[in-house]
Amino acid sequence: MPAGKVFLDANILVYAQDKDSPAKRRRSREVIAALAVSGTGVISTQVIQEFYVAATRKLGVAPLAAKSVLHTFKVFEIVQTSPDLIEDAIDCSVLNRISFWDALIVAAAASSGCEVVYSEDLNPGQTIQGVRIENPLE
């Protein structure tokens, strides 16, 4: 695990609930637990929203059960999505040719001083805005 702060993309949190992907479920739970214990985990309001939608729509988690899981995310530093962060994400999206939503993840990670983003959606090994992308599920 990196020594500094690590930003978790929603897909890592969703895999922790995915009964159809046992290896990814186990690994994502290990990653989440380690970051919770170390106090180095960071998420954003976007990640919380994406988790809820994916858990309830894709995985069929009951809404109140998903809400209960959301409560556990309070152990992480949470970056609020603001108009300034959205503007940073637009610039990041244009300059790096990535989707706006991925750029918003990167911008949130950079704004909170993370050294790494854990995600399955971006290219592992790539560095964007000073933040290295890693896929902890590989």
Side-chain angles (χ1 to χ4, degrees):
M1 304 232 49
K5 294 197 292 186
V6 176
F7 193 96
L8 289 168
D9 196 350
N11 51 47
I12 306 302
L13 300 175
V14 171
Y15 274 121
Q17 304 300 314
D18 191 351
K19 295 176 184 172
D20 293 334
S21 300
K24 288 183 178 182
R25 182 180 185 185
R26 185 187 74 254
R27 178 64 183 138
S28 63
R29 287 182 174 201
E30 291 169 356
V31 167
I32 292 165
L35 292 174
V37 168
S38 70
T40 58
V42 181
I43 60 173
S44 66
T45 51
Q46 172 197 359
V47 167
I48 293 169
Q49 294 166 19
E50 287 182 11
F51 168 83
Y52 178 80
V53 170
T56 56
R57 289 188 183 169
K58 180 182 171 193
L59 301 181
V61 175
L64 292 179
K67 181 181 175 186
S68 179
V69 173
L70 289 178
H71 182 74
T72 67
F73 297 161
K74 291 180 181 180
V75 300
F76 299 122
E77 177 183 333
I78 300 174
V79 176
Q80 299 289 323
T81 301
S82 68
D84 288 340
L85 191 63
I86 291 169
E87 288 182 17
D88 289 346
I90 292 168
D91 293 342
C92 179
S93 173
V94 170
L95 293 171
N96 295 283
R97 297 182 179 155
I98 60 175
S99 80
F100 168 77
W101 300 111
D102 288 344
L104 192 54
I105 294 292
V106 172
S111 76
S112 64
C114 289
E115 67 179 51
V116 175
V117 169
Y118 280 167
S119 178
E120 252 199 347
D121 291 341
L122 294 160
N123 293 326
Q126 184 178 20
T127 298
I128 305 171
Q129 290 190 336
V131 181
R132 189 176 66 258
I133 311 302
E134 292 183 10
N135 182 349
L137 306 180
E138 288 186 328

